[in-house]
Amino acid sequence: MRNVAKKQVEPKAAPNAPRSYRIEEQVGYLLRRAHQRASSIFQATIGDPNITPTQYSSMVKLHEYTELSQNLLGRLVGMDKATMQGVVRRLRDRGLVDSRPDPGDARRTLLSLTLDGQKLVAKLLMNGPAVSRETLKPLTGAEQRQLIELLSRII
């Protein structure tokens, strides 16, 4: 599998360059690089080149709960309101998500998967575990469990 986020060989630094702070050792840099790798693997493995990780997580939650308000869906998948609106708009434009006003609160929009959305998410869910397996492949089983636990504590 092609990995666009491969570790690069670094050229020699200037002899008098300070080495007390290395960006490659900072958590934000490492998380960003790990995210790049995970995203590349997701796109190559999930089974639909037009589905983004944010769209996928939204569809999986709608599959799990059948119908959710747009606001609650955003909270469940960790997206802000503006990002969630864009995700929902793109899924609706593809005919994968349907929306209707909440009969109990006209300010809320309820979302559900269309029949096409249900079929697609069923297919994508079969590939989801492979994305995680490939992303975590460089780690031992114990390291994989530890990484998942530590990341869960951060968020």
Side-chain angles (χ1 to χ4, degrees):
M1 169 170 299
R2 189 174 153 277
N3 183 357
V4 296
K6 277 188 179 172
K7 188 173 184 177
Q8 298 296 311
V9 176
E10 192 172 324
K12 287 192 176 204
N16 58 352
R19 301 300 276 178
S20 59
Y21 180 88
R22 294 187 42 84
I23 194 69
E24 299 85 2
E25 296 169 354
Q26 305 310 306
V27 67
Y29 175 87
L30 292 168
L31 287 171
R32 181 181 60 78
R33 295 293 305 267
H35 180 260
Q36 287 174 329
R37 181 173 185 278
S39 294
S40 174
I41 291 167
F42 175 89
Q43 289 304 157
T45 308
I46 200 62
D48 184 326
N50 298 313
I51 289 292
T52 66
T54 54
Q55 291 170 349
Y56 174 71
S57 61
S58 298
M59 291 180 70
V60 168
K61 281 298 177 189
L62 286 172
H63 176 73
E64 182 179 345
Y65 289 99
T66 307
E67 186 174 64
L68 292 167
S69 73
Q70 185 168 313
N71 185 289
L72 179 55
L73 177 60
R75 289 195 313 267
L76 290 173
V77 296
M79 282 184 243
D80 61 75
K81 186 177 178 179
T83 302
M84 192 74 246
Q85 287 174 341
V87 167
V88 168
R89 185 185 69 250
R90 286 184 288 282
L91 290 172
R92 253 196 321 243
D93 289 349
R94 280 191 64 189
L96 301 173
V97 168
D98 204 3
S99 63
R100 68 182 181 96
D102 184 336
D105 184 348
R107 297 169 296 175
R108 275 198 318 206
T109 301
L110 297 176
L111 303 172
S112 60
L113 293 171
T114 62
L115 187 55
D116 285 346
Q118 291 171 25
K119 288 177 186 175
L120 180 59
V121 80
K123 173 187 158 190
L124 300 178
L125 280 168
M126 291 190 306
N127 297 329
V131 173
S132 291
R133 274 194 311 275
E134 186 63 29
T135 301
L136 295 171
K137 196 177 193 176
L139 305 175
T140 67
E143 290 170 334
Q144 292 175 16
R145 288 185 295 279
Q146 183 179 27
L147 178 62
I148 297 299
E149 179 189 332
L150 293 171
L151 289 173
S152 297
R153 287 174 48 190
I154 290 175
I155 60 169

